[in-house]
Structures are given as structure tokens and as C-alpha cells.
Amino acid sequence: MNQERLFKVLLGPHMTEKAAVLADAKNQYVFKVAADATKPEIKKAVEQLFDVKVDAVRVLNTNGKTRRTLHGLGRRNGFRKAYVSLVEGQAIDFADAE
Amino acid sequence: MQVSVETTSALERRLTIQVPAEKVDTAVDERLKQTARRVKVDGFRPGKVPMNVVKRRFGDSVRQEVLSELMRNHFIEAVTQEKLNPAGTPEIEPVKMNAGEPFEFTATFEVYPVVELKSLEGESVERPVAEIKDADVEELITDLRKQRATFVETDKAAETGDQVKIDFEGFIDGEAFAGGKGEGYDLTLGSNSFIPGFEDQLVGSKAGDSKDVEVSFPEDYQAADLAGKAAVFKCKVHAVKQQQLPELNDAFFAQFGVAEGGESAFRAEVRKNMEAQLKQATRNATKQAVFEALMKANPIEVPRALISGEIDNLRRQAAQQYNLGQDFDIGQIPADLFKDQAKNNVTLGLLVGEVIKANELKADDALVDELLNEMAGSYQEPQKVVDYYKSNPEMLRQVQGAALEQQVVDKLLSQAQVTDVTKTFRELAMPGQ
């Protein structure tokens, strides 16, 4: 896997209440990732970009919501989300990443 | 909090104030907690945003905000602590403001001068005194008649003071020029409304005369192409009108609001008005003289900040006076125009304030009433005016201010050596006429 691909995998941190709680309680960080990203790719990208050790990665696809507009039904874009657990003692500060 | 005072010039002080780091941090945290309750961040329910997210998002701006607030508060605290009396707004500048370090800032400002009031003991003040003589009344009535004068056609030769109705056309070197023509113009001889020499040459003309008036435009005439040139005006006099003063009869009196009582009532009314006018004028002149003496006896240095504030006030007043409207930028009026006046006003304000403080003067209710009645006297229903003023605190305060000023003047007068200078009514009440 080349270096360029790594920068395309992570789309950004997913900042929600749930993510904030998980970061505190389980040392898990949530990212939006490219639709075709795999777990090993994500692991490697996070490890390299944030200089941390990743324990595990879980991924899931969210579907976009359907919206009804003047011009009939429409669908918002969905995205692929990754929950990344870090090895104990590691942390990510998004202050410089956002 | 550490404060050090530097004296940079006679009236300028520089405060250097240090606030410990913990104090700043707790203040910032406090403020962040408050912000956390209000802010809305995507992905979080309102009020449920965790502290670290809030800190990351708003930390810097909140810190700035807190610091500027701290500067204001500590400045006030420091000023009270050092017992300084700042004039105008201070210039506050942060010096060190890194997180974890004590926060340091300087405030530069001017202080009010300490006035050691010298009394007017031994100073001489000229107080104008005037009496209204019958001749003064007579003169005023003549003035009033002149204002209402009518012009009646006569076939005599025109004299100064008469009105002539003329057509005129001006020529320079035999050629007519723009704006040099008029028809049926009523010109009052001796009113100096035309270029110098023009009116004089029409003296002695009769109705139906034609006359060539030879004049030269003055060097500083407003139209540059005409200035300094010699011109010939061909004039045709249509009529000569003589000024006729209205007779002193009831119809004339009625124009001035004296419907009954005839001439004696009219004279009494005129005299009453003159007396009020004289009283006012005497009071103003005395005040002026006293204040001038006060300023001469107490030369003080005044803070520049106050002067520039006063200049703005004067500018605004001037703008209002000339109806320049709300949108007018008062900065357009040059400040130099008001500099001296502003300095005088500020100096006087400080000195008068000091006199009030030194003598513990308060607006005297009796005097306030007197001033009110005096003012109301010229209205149709004096009692209503008095009641209106009394029911309106702001208006009443104005009168109280005037009363207080009066008391200051009286107080100073009692200290100074007063020489009475006799003046005529005309000199005092109508300066510049």
C-alpha cells in the first residue's frame, strides 16, 4: 500500500456526543473514512498520521437519509465510519488535525 | 495584583499591572463553563457539549475576552488603590499574555490636575452697571418703528435712507456682462447692499431720471473676472420712496402684543422687556469677568484628553447649529477652530468644580425658584412653565446648574475687589451694534 493512499483513507474525525463519550471511556476514536477503506488500511493510516498504536478497528456504512423535496424523493450521501480503539495509554488530540 | 506607577509627564501616568496566572486561568475556566451551556456545536445536543470540545473550539477567543475584561476591572481597581483620578479614557496595552505566565499590561492615561484654588482675594473684577434711562426707551421704540417702516413714493430727490426702484444694466468697456442686469429692483440707499459707491451716486436722483453710475469693483470681489474692473451701470430710476415710520397708535402697539392701555402701557412693556434683557446681560457680563479673573488667578495645566473631548462637543454643537444633519461627520470640522475655546471651557469647568467643592455649594432652592420665575415671565402662562420644569427632572437640573453657577459667581465676587463700571444700556445689552 503506497503512502498516497494513506492520506486518502481518513476523511476527518467524526465529532459527536457519542464519539466524545467513547474517547473518554474506551479510548476509541471515530473517523469518517473513504467508502472503500479497509480495516488494515485505516489502522495503518491512523498509526502513521497520529503517531499512535492502534488496537482494533471496527467499520460500518451509514446510509444517507431520504429527503422529500419539491422535485420528488432525494437521498443524502451516506458515509463509511470507523471506530478505532487505541492501545491503552495512547491518545489523539484533534486540535491540530481538524 | 501588582501595580507600579510611572510618571511620564506632568499629567500623564503609566500603570503597569500584573495579574497572577492562576487568577487568569480560573477566570477563563469559569467563562468556558458558562459558554458550554450556551453554545451549539454540530453533533451535540445543546448544553451537552463536553468541556474539552468547548475548550478546543472557543478557548482562544474566550481567553481574549476574559483578558480584556480583566484589564478593565484591574485597571479600575488599580486606580482606586493608587488613588489616581484619570481624565478621559486610558490607553491599555497588554505586555505579556501567554498562558501559564502572569498576565501583564500597561495603562497610560492622564490624571486630573490637582487644583490648589487661589481665592480671588485682592484680584480686581470689573462689574458692569447700567441703568435704563428714558432716552434708551425712546431709542428702542424708534428702532421698533424703523423695523416696521413702510416706504411711500415721493417726487422729491432721493436721500440716504430712501428706497429707489431702479432698472440697471452694467457695462465693462462698453460691453454688457453676465449678472450685471436687474429690473424693478428696490434698493435702499445707504444699506451697502451694492458695491461701494453705487448707492452714493444715486443720491439726489428723482423718479424718471436716467443716470450712468460709474464704479469700479473692489479688488476682493467674489467674482474673480469682475474684481478690480471699472464698470458703468446705466440706471433708470422708476420711483423714489421715502421711509415713513409708523405712528405710535393702538394698531402699532397691538403688533407687539399690547392690545390695551395705549402708549403708557406700551412704554411700560418695552421697559419691562429691557429690564429683563439688561439683567440677563449684566449677569452674563459679570460672570464672564469673574471667570476670566478666576482663570487668570489659577493657571492650571489641563489634560489633553479632556480638551479633545470638549472639542468634539463643540463640533457637535456647531454641526447642530448649522443644521448639518445626523450623518454629518464631525471630524470634518477642523479641530483647531475650537482648540482655544475648548481649553478655556475645560479649565473653567475644573476651576468652577473646585470652587463648588471648596465652598460646599449646593443649588439653592430659593434661587432656583427665582430663576424659574424669571424665565417663565416671558411666556403666556408662567405658572404652567414653572410646573413643567418642576415635573421634569432633567429640565430642572439645567436650572439648578444655572443657579449653582450664579452662586459660584456670587461667592467669587464676595472675595474679589469689585469695581463698578457704568455702561449704557446699549453697550451692555446689545454688544456689537
Side-chain angles (χ1 to χ4, degrees):
Chain A
M1 194 185 349
N2 62 27
Q3 211 61 21
E4 246 173 272
R5 170 71 181 158
L6 286 187
F7 285 104
K8 285 181 183 159
V9 168
L10 297 183
L11 298 181
H14 187 63
M15 305 268 282
T16 60
E17 249 181 272
K18 179 174 177 179
V21 169
L22 282 178
D24 255 7
K26 294 187 162 180
N27 210 16
Q28 275 186 338
Y29 295 85
V30 189
F31 295 89
K32 275 182 186 170
V33 294
D36 55 354
T38 61
K39 286 180 180 178
E41 269 179 347
I42 295 166
K43 178 172 178 175
K44 211 159 185 190
V46 171
E47 280 183 342
Q48 288 208 358
L49 288 177
F50 296 100
D51 200 14
V52 288
K53 277 208 89 71
V54 173
D55 181 29
V57 178
R58 303 273 156 94
V59 288
L60 61 102
N61 295 320
T62 62
N63 285 332
K65 295 171 177 174
T66 41
R67 286 281 126 134
R68 302 211 284 198
T69 71
L70 266 180
H71 316 292
L73 282 183
R75 196 174 187 91
R76 289 183 173 183
N77 290 337
F79 60 94
R80 191 168 170 86
K81 192 158 69 168
Y83 286 86
V84 179
S85 316
L86 299 189
V87 171
E88 245 185 58
Q90 303 273 330
I92 295 177
D93 186 4
F94 286 121
D96 38 34
E98 235 168 280
Chain B
M1 183 179 71
Q2 281 176 1
V3 184
S4 65
V5 191
E6 267 176 88
T7 307
T8 43
S9 76
L11 290 176
E12 209 175 66
R13 301 279 182 280
R14 183 188 291 140
L15 284 179
T16 309
I17 302 167
Q18 223 178 43
V19 187
E22 309 92 69
K23 204 163 171 185
V24 179
D25 288 344
T26 44
V28 171
D29 283 349
E30 191 62 34
R31 180 61 69 87
L32 277 174
K33 251 179 228 161
Q34 279 174 23
T35 348
R37 242 174 282 144
R38 277 188 290 111
V39 292
K40 182 149 178 23
V41 183
D42 281 349
F44 298 89
R45 289 169 292 163
K48 299 283 183 185
V49 185
M51 203 56 188
N52 55 1
V53 177
V54 177
K55 209 175 209 163
R56 193 183 317 141
R57 276 276 175 100
F58 303 101
D60 285 347
S61 63
V62 165
R63 197 179 157 82
Q64 284 298 333
E65 222 175 279
V66 169
L67 285 187
S68 66
E69 205 163 288
L70 278 178
M71 284 198 277
R72 264 200 306 276
N73 293 344
H74 279 81
F75 169 70
I76 295 167
E77 214 174 294
V79 163
T80 9
Q81 188 183 317
E82 299 291 328
K83 299 200 172 44
L84 293 170
N85 196 0
T89 36
E91 229 168 81
I92 299 184
E93 252 172 68
V95 180
K96 275 188 239 157
M97 48 189 303
N98 299 333
E101 270 179 52
F103 171 54
E104 200 178 294
F105 66 95
T106 59
T108 319
F109 56 92
E110 287 173 300
V111 291
Y112 278 97
V114 180
V115 182
E116 277 169 37
L117 202 62
K118 287 198 210 85
S119 74
L120 290 185
E121 215 77 55
E123 297 282 333
S124 59
V125 176
E126 287 188 357
R127 179 168 56 184
V129 180
E131 244 178 81
I132 298 175
K133 301 195 187 71
D134 285 340
D136 292 326
V137 179
E138 204 54 55
E139 208 175 335
L140 195 84
I141 291 178
T142 317
D143 279 352
L144 290 178
R145 284 170 70 191
K146 271 188 191 152
Q147 280 171 19
R148 306 277 160 151
T150 47
F151 287 91
V152 179
E153 275 190 41
T154 117
D155 38 5
K156 284 195 312 184
E159 288 169 29
T160 306
D162 288 353
Q163 209 176 48
V164 289
K165 188 176 186 134
I166 51 167
D167 291 348
F168 61 91
E169 192 173 7
F171 296 92
I172 290 177
D173 298 336
E175 280 186 40
F177 58 92
K181 199 175 168 180
E183 272 176 26
Y185 189 86
D186 284 327
L187 174 67
T188 308
L189 299 184
S191 64
N192 290 329
S193 47
F194 272 23
I195 48 179
F198 193 105
E199 289 163 17
D200 297 343
Q201 294 182 43
L202 284 175
V203 171
S205 56
K206 281 185 182 165
D209 281 3
S210 291
K211 202 164 188 180
D212 288 352
V213 177
E214 289 171 31
V215 286
S216 50
F217 285 96
E219 293 291 343
D220 53 354
Y221 195 67
Q222 67 261 35
D225 53 331
L226 296 180
K229 294 233 174 95
V232 177
F233 282 91
K234 286 195 192 325
C235 297
K236 170 122 180 71
V237 181
H238 287 297
V240 177
K241 294 182 203 163
Q242 204 170 22
Q243 187 184 45
Q244 194 165 50
L245 299 181
E247 278 179 47
L248 286 174
N249 54 23
D250 286 349
F252 178 69
F253 302 147
Q255 284 182 339
F256 294 96
V258 183
E260 282 167 35
E263 188 167 342
S264 58
F266 177 68
R267 268 175 204 280
E269 178 72 19
V270 168
R271 200 178 180 103
K272 201 178 105 193
N273 282 339
M274 283 170 81
E275 261 158 21
Q277 207 181 345
L278 181 67
K279 198 167 170 192
Q280 190 69 32
T282 314
R283 200 181 279 155
N284 279 343
T286 316
K287 189 167 86 181
Q288 191 113 20
V290 169
F291 283 166
E292 258 163 36
L294 182 67
M295 280 205 280
K296 221 165 81 188
N298 293 286
I300 54 169
E301 201 176 328
V302 281
R304 255 171 299 134
L306 289 187
I307 293 182
S308 63
E310 182 65 25
I311 287 178
D312 280 351
N313 275 345
L314 290 174
R315 276 174 170 167
R316 220 162 290 136
Q317 274 173 21
Q320 217 164 40
Q321 203 174 340
Y322 295 116
N323 269 331
L324 294 175
Q326 291 280 311
D327 304 329
F328 182 74
D329 175 20
I330 55 167
Q332 282 178 21
I333 310 176
D336 285 347
L337 226 58
F338 301 112
K339 215 164 156 194
D340 292 338
Q341 200 191 344
K343 193 169 172 203
N344 269 355
N345 285 1
V346 173
T347 317
L348 207 53
L350 286 174
L351 289 175
V352 169
E354 204 58 36
V355 173
I356 292 172
K357 213 158 66 186
N359 296 304
E360 289 173 358
L361 291 177
K362 260 195 199 124
D364 182 16
D365 284 341
L367 190 59
V368 172
D369 281 346
E370 194 191 314
L371 285 177
L372 259 180
N373 286 329
E374 219 168 88
M375 208 161 46
S378 55
Y379 288 90
Q380 293 281 331
E381 290 176 89
Q383 195 50 43
K384 267 196 184 162
V385 179
V386 173
D387 289 344
Y388 173 69
Y389 266 85
K390 289 210 160 156
S391 63
N392 189 332
E394 205 164 301
M395 304 284 268
L396 194 60
R397 209 163 307 131
Q398 271 179 23
V399 183
Q400 278 166 346
L404 199 56
E405 208 173 57
Q406 184 69 40
Q407 281 166 284
V408 170
V409 171
D410 289 345
K411 183 87 202 164
L412 291 172
L413 267 183
S414 69
Q415 294 171 345
Q417 240 169 17
V418 185
T419 30
D420 286 349
V421 182
T422 319
K423 289 192 171 178
T424 65
F425 170 78
R426 200 154 266 269
E427 279 173 337
L428 199 52
M430 306 174 183
Q433 274 192 23

